[in-house]
Structures are given as C-alpha cells and as structure tokens.
Amino acid sequence: MRLLEVKNLKKIYTTRFGGNQVQALSNVSFSVEQGEYVAIMGESGSGKTTLLNILASLDKPTSGEVFLDGKNIVTIKDSEISAFRRDNLGFVFQDFNLLDTFSIQDNIFLPLVLAQKNYQEMNSRLGPLAKRLNIEEILKKFPYEVSGGQKQRAAVARALITQPKLVLADEPTGALDSKAAMNLLKIFSAINELGQTILMVTHSVAAASHANRVLFIKDGEIYNQIYRGSMSNDDMYQKISYTLSVLASGGEDCE
Amino acid sequence: MNKFFYPRLALVNLKKNGNTYIPYILTCIGSIIAFYTMVSIHSNKGLDQMPGSANLKIILFLGIIVIGIFAVIFLFYTNSFLIKRRKKELGLYSILGLEKKHIARVLFYETVFVTVISLSLGLIGGILIGKLLFLLLLNIVHFKSPLIFHIDYWGLLITTGVFLVIFGLTLLTNFLQVKLSNPIDLLKGGQHGEKEPKSSWIVTVIGLISLGAGYGIALSVKTPLEALMLFFVAVVFVIIGTYALFISGSITLLKQLKKNKRFYYQSRNFISVSGMIYRMKQNAVGLANICILSTMVLVTLSTTVSLYVGQEGMRRDFYPMDVSIIGEINNTDFAEVKAIVESEKEKLKIRSSDEISYDLARFRAFQEGSHFLKDMVEDESTDARYYERISNMILIPLDDYNRMTGEQKSLAENEMLIFSVGDNYGEATIVFGDQQYLITEQLEAIPMDFKKTQDMGQTYYLVVKDDAVMEGVYQTMKNDDDPQTTLHALMFNLDGDEDTLNTFSANLRTAITQSNPDIDIQNLYEALTELYFFFGGFLFLGVFLGSLFMMATVLIIYFKQISEGYEDSERFEIMEKVGMDKTEVKKTIGKQILMVFFLPLAGAIVHVAFAFPVITKMLAAFRLTNITLIFLCTLAGVLVYALVYTGVYLLTARSYYKMIH
C-alpha cells in the first residue's frame, strides 16, 4: 500500500525584494510504501531540508502534489494543518527541539495534550513506549539534566506517542556521538520492524545504511536510489559510499 | 589599527543595540532632568522671599534625596540588564581576538558616548522643563508675583558631578563583569540550563504572615496618631510579604496546579502553567519591584491630590470664621480693636458679615468619663490613645450665648449647656476639680463653630450661668502658661476677592499688633497662603515622583518583554512544529503576557485598597476628613495609572509579537 506519494514537486524561493530566485526543488517525484524505512541523502544545499519541510506541511511547494494516505496535504486549509500534522506525522529533529520548561515526560505528552487526550490514555501509551526506548528512569527529569542520546530518544517517544502514519526525521544522529547514534539507529530499525513507516533525511552514511531504501538528491532532483534487497548494513554502507563519491565527482550513472 | 577604531566600534555597538540602548539613554536623560529640576528649584533665590517657603524647601530637599537614590538604583538595574543581554556579543569579540583590555576600552567609549549624550540633552531638557515646572509649582502654591527662573550654574555642576559618579560606577561594574568571565561563559551568556525553580513553603508562609501582618495593621488602625506611627511598620511588612509571595508563593501555587493532573494536562493550562513557572522564576523580583513601585505611585498620587483638592474643606475646619481676634479681658481695649477693624475695612471697601463678640475662657483638660483633670497622667504617654483624651474646653457665659443666638435660655449656678464639636458628650454631669455640674442640654449648634469629625481629641463648648462661674472654673483648671484672666473674642466673616482680602488681612495684623502685641489674631486668608505652600509643595513632589516612578515601571516592563521575546520565540517555534496552531500559540502568548503584566498592577491595587483606611486616618491628621473625596481621588489615581499601564502593555505586546514571528 502506498502511504506517501510525491508528484512533480517544485519549490522556488524568491528573495524578499524580488530579483533573485533560487530553485530549491526542480522536479521531485517518489513514493513510500506502508512500513518502509527510507533515507534521503544529499549534500548541503541539495534541497533535502526543503523537501522535508514540505512533507512536514511546514512549507508549501511552488507546484506539485504530496499525498499522504490518499490525502493531498498541499491543499489542506491553514486552520486544519496543525491538527493534521499532530495526528498523522511524528517529528525527530537534529537538535531535539525539546522544551526546557517541561520535564521529559511532559515533553512527550505535549502533542497528546494539544490533541486533548485525557491523562489516563496518555499515561497508558507512555508506559510501553518508555520501556521500549529505555527512558523510564529519566521521565521526571528535565532536558538539561540528561545526555544527548537520552534527549533524542525522548524526542522519538514524542514523535511516536501520537501513533503517526509517518515519522519524519531530520538528521536525527547529527548531534549525537557515535555510540548514541548507533543506539538510536537500532531503535529506528526496531520500530520500523514493528510496522512504523520512517522517512529520514541525513548526511550520515552510517545512518542511511540502516534504511531499506536510500534516495539521493542532487540540485533539487532525485538522482538515484538504492534498494537494500538482501544486503547487510555493511554492504549497504559500501554501496552508499560509492554512490556518494560518484555523486560528488559529478559522474553520469553508477549502476 | 586606526586610533578611531574603538570609538567607532563603540558607536556602532550603541546603534546596533538601539532597541535597548535608546530606552536606557532616555532613562538617563529623564533622571538627569528630574534631578536638575529639583536642585535648581530648591536653590532658587526667589523662593526664600516667599512666606511659608521653609516647608516647601524641606519638601523639595526630600525630593532631591529620593531622586538621587532612585537614579542610582534604577540606572544600575537597567545597566546590568543591558550588559547581560550583550554577553554573547562581548564573547564573540574576545573569540575574534580582542583582549579584555580592548573590550574594556570599547565599553569605556560606549559609556563616554552615553554620558555625553545623556548629560547634554538632560541638562538642556532640565533648563527648559525646569523652568516650566517652576512656573507650574508657583501656580500650584497660588503664588502670584512673577519670579525669574535663572539657569542655575551651581545646580548644573552638582547634577553633572552626581551623574558622572553614577556612570563611572556602572562602567566599573561592567569592567568587572568582563574581567570575571571567560569567552565561553560570555558566549553562552543567558542560556545556562534552566533549572526547575525550587519553591519553599517556609518563604511562602513567611510572605503570607508578613503580608497579613501589614494588612492587619492597616485595617486595625483607629486613630490618626496610630496611623502616623504604624504606617511605616505596615509598609515594611507589606514589602517583605510582596517579595516573598512573588518569589516563592507564585511558584508554590503553580506547582500545586501542576500536581493536579486533570487540570494540568489540558492544552490551555499545560503550556501556561509550565511557562509561568519559568517566567516567575526569572521575573519574580522584577515583578515585585513593579508592584511596589506602582503602589508607591498610587499612594503618593492619591494622598497628595486628596490633600490639595481637599484643602478648601480643611481650611473651614481650622477656621470656622474668617477672622477671629481674641484678647485678655482686662488688658484689651475692644472699642479700639473694633475701630481699627472698621477703618481697615473702610480703606479697602470690604464688607464683613456674621459678626459676633463674646467673653470666653479656654483651657485644655484630660478627660476621664465625666471628670476633667488638670494634671495629665504622665506614665501613659506612650499610648497613642492618651493624646486623644486631651480635650479643648471653651467656656461662654449664658447672656453672651443668648445675645448671639436670640434665645432665652436660663441656667442655675451648677448647670451647663454643652456643645461638642465631635461626638456627642454622653455624660449627664461634668466635673471640674471637686465641683460637679449638671448638663441640662446638648446643643445642636453654636454660632462660632460647627460639628465636624474630631480625630485628635475633643473640643467642647460649655455655656455657663455667668462670668463669675466661668472665672471660677477657669481659675481651678488653668495651667501655668495660660493667660491670667478670661478672654474676649471678636469674630467675623469677610466678603471680597481673594487678593483684596489678603491685603486686608496683612494690614489688619500690622495695625492691631501695633496697638496691642498680645492680641491673638487668627486669619483664614493668611493661613491659606501657608496651606497652599504646604499642600501645593506636596502635590508638586507627589506628581513629580509619581511620574518618575511611572517612567521606571514602564522601562522595567519594556526591558522585561524584550528579553523574554528572544527566548520565547524559540519555544513557540518548537510548539508549532509539534502541532500547535498559530492561533493557539497567539492565545497562549497573550494569556501569559497578560498575567505577567497585570499581576503587579493587581497586587498594587490590592495594596492600595488595604492601605486606604490608614491613608484616610493619616489625612485626618491634616484635618482632611472627607472620605468620599479621598476615595474619589484614589479611584481617579488608580484609573489614570491603570490606563497608562495598559497603554504601555499594548505597545510592548506589539513588539513582543513581532519578535515571536
């Protein structure tokens, strides 16, 4: 079943006083199946973040369409967009984006509170999730009291607690040390195995090598993609590295 | 490196931080104007020649001291705020290779620029506004003859000196800040991990008790003397209570709310409560400051305005008749006095009315029920109530009473009529020494005085059978420094315009004193001049300080909003990403600012409400007993203040929203 379908996405930024136009996305089309784990790779300025912002409904494309579960998110009204985001999407950011005024537990509850769920339900959802992410001990603590890895796991819990159709991760390992990063990637793989669809934007080859499929984006277009098939993570790593070097040297094709 | 490098960098810095430095410089200018104005009015030579200016000068000198202290505290506060905001920038400089001494040099030039701008504009403003305010003051105290307001070089010198010292000290603290910190600390500046604030039940309870004690004192005060003595005790309690409750009470309350899961996990409370906890932690002291400053403004304004507006009523209390001339019977030629009065009236074509003349004896006595004692009981003198039992007694013979009122009353040797100015005299008899008299009637009115509230001891008029009885009582009761014999009084009211009456009053005093220096003349119009100076001076200072405190409040609020705007914008960005509506974000922001903003105002209004009984009692000491008038003045003060406050709120809220989006 097709969960996400992106068709001919185009985004042009115009500087405030007219004049300069920058094309961030020229023509992007791809789709994500239910239960897939997709990584999007590309250099800085390739349009990754623009793409993610559009998928997150934080930004509107200049033209093109994005269907999530058959619903076109480009045409959703502004007044409904927050509720849509809350109900269907979960976010994991590079810099965690936890609120320092809330305890870890309250940070995780935030989207549910906004959706006006009652406390019993929130609590019953949190229990198993906290166990799975190994953050039970730090629930009462505040973000400044815990490590980066713990913060990111809390952020993952916040993304998952709404049981979203799609988890969007923006450089989730970017601010973590290698051990914490590996730990987080294992968690991503585990939740993916339970059926959670994940779309991750990343720089890191190690991170991308955990995905089922890797999309490469260059100059605002999908340049290439790699399917895992039966490859191990290490094989995947090799292949991604090779693709990236070809991409960087401006090669024609790598297959 | 170009030698203009540092001054230029300093100038660029000031410009770049304009949205905080312009208000700061305005504060400096305002303080300098205020200080210079006070100093120059105080030292104005013309003021010395005015009658009754001694009190005014004392009031003005008080003003100079208050403004001086205020300027030091307030400029230090704003400066520390500014330097805190700029830590990141200074850290960046040192990472880019500026040594600490170079940064110090930049800071030095910045201070020099601020000082030069503030002092030059402040002094020019002081010279212009000072003149305007001086004219206003003369108008308030009803002083007619024009006085020239010179530029006061001595005042300029003092003001410059005082503010150079203040600016020097702020520069020194800034140097210390830079010296004590390393670049990394500077870079991180404001963003140390925000700790969950600790709330202390003990501090909260202390705050509650202290506030309760302050309010309790305010409510339990019964008399003006108590009010004057206990007012400052109550103020200290209320200040302690305010700080404790803002700092700890607010957080304790919010934490209790947080513990209530069903309340806390509602989207409209969730963000507000946790946001407020942090806001209160950062702002408790600032908010308590605002609350206390606001209370000061309101109390100062309402009392001074009440006094000024109420003096018309007060002067009648002091002087039931416009002119009263009283002399000892065997030492005064009343025919001559009367002739002088008539000739002075003739000179200025003034008419008089309600003229009365009568014999009297007056003395003070200590009341214990129906007994009036000559000797005061000394050992009770610590009790404020003691003074309220000292009564003014005035004896009048019956035939004078009958002549003035046209009545035909009669009295026996041991009978008296009584008129009490304040509360009715409740006893059936009255005892002087060992002699007891029967009260045959409580009079409702008497020609020379009228009923009014008596807070500071009673005044009784007693009508006795004849001069002999009067003489008898007087000789038993009189103290050593009272006149030897009984007295005779001549009283009348005047008609005419105020200027002529002023001249008449002065002429009359000169003429009568020339003929007999022992005669006691009380004159409403002479007294008015002094009252105007006294209450006008108070009003002037009240409005002056009120505006100054208001300026301070406005600035504290402004700086607070600016600094919070920067931090909050990040927070709300995250919430939007997690799925919070833009309109919801706006509503939450609005709710929080509203609470932070109006909490101190609400606190101040509650303080004023509890202070009201004390204020009325204290004003009663100045013979202002019209509670409706005081209430209206207070209410008007609160309304005007709330209006200005709301205006500031709307302005800062706008710049705050801009920062968030």
Side-chain angles (χ1 to χ4, degrees), chain B residues 583-600:
Chain B
T583 51
E584 225 171 317
V585 168
K586 220 171 175 173
K587 249 190 346 210
T588 318
I589 296 173
K591 198 167 156 187
Q592 283 189 30
I593 313 186
L594 215 68
M595 280 222 262
V596 169
F597 230 90
F598 286 98
L599 207 64

Side-chain angles (χ1 to χ4, degrees), chain B residues 210-223 226-227 230-235 237-238 606-618:
Chain B
S210 184
L211 194 66
Y215 283 174
I217 291 172
L219 291 181
S220 66
V221 159
K222 291 277 184 310
T223 67
E226 263 179 15
L230 293 174
F231 183 68
F232 289 100
V233 182
V235 166
F237 272 122
V238 169
V606 173
H607 285 346
V608 171
F610 276 97
F612 189 73
V614 188
I615 293 175
T616 54
K617 287 288 179 313
M618 285 210 304

Side-chain angles (χ1 to χ4, degrees), chain A residues 225-245:
Chain A
Q225 54 178 320
I226 299 173
Y227 283 91
R228 173 185 288 275
S230 57
M231 271 188 277
S232 70
N233 283 357
D234 286 342
D235 294 341
M236 203 53 185
Y237 190 99
Q238 297 296 334
K239 188 132 191 201
I240 294 168
S241 300
Y242 173 68
T243 312
L244 282 177
S245 56

